[in-house]
Amino acid sequence: MTRICKDGFEREFIREEREMYGIAYTQNILSGRWKYLILWFLKTKERRYSEIKAFLGDISQGSLTKQLRELEADGIIKREVYPEVPPRVEYSLTSKGTFLVPIIDLMEEFGKKFGEKE
């Protein structure tokens, strides 16, 4: 099935299974317990680290930092550091990240429709 090597997906898999690769690539970017919620929270405006942490509640600082770094490395979010004292850091979606918003919105709608009802 999918073959992921240390440098990402194997070229043969990308070439031979192009449709499946698209799904695997997207899943690989979104893998992580909190990434969907981070993207949903950032979809309307930039946010500071403390706002994201407060929104997610019980996430550890290490987990949040890891998820944010991975999203930044994948080009999904941008980290802007302002030269102030103390430094202000804001996170926002890149154009690549904005392209994921309809997927996040569909997930939201699916959950509303088929998730547990109160």
Side-chain angles (χ1 to χ4, degrees), residues 29-42:
I29 284 179
L30 294 175
S31 66
R33 179 176 178 189
W34 304 98
K35 287 181 181 178
Y36 302 97
L37 295 174
I38 292 168
L39 295 177
W40 182 87
F41 194 56
L42 293 176

Side-chain angles (χ1 to χ4, degrees), residues 27-86:
Q27 187 276 329
N28 191 51
I29 284 179
L30 294 175
S31 66
R33 179 176 178 189
W34 304 98
K35 287 181 181 178
Y36 302 97
L37 295 174
I38 292 168
L39 295 177
W40 182 87
F41 194 56
L42 293 176
K43 76 179 187 174
T44 56
K45 67 178 194 172
E46 67 279 341
R47 306 284 184 156
R48 296 180 76 167
Y49 181 93
S50 59
E51 292 177 287
I52 299 168
K53 175 97 171 73
F55 169 71
L56 295 175
D58 64 347
I59 188 172
S60 71
Q61 181 175 337
S63 290
L64 178 55
T65 299
K66 181 179 185 288
Q67 301 276 289
L68 291 170
R69 284 183 182 158
E70 289 174 0
L71 287 167
E72 185 180 8
D74 287 330
I76 304 302
I77 65 171
K78 177 177 72 167
R79 180 178 184 264
E80 183 84 28
V81 180
Y82 295 90
E84 301 172 358
V85 178

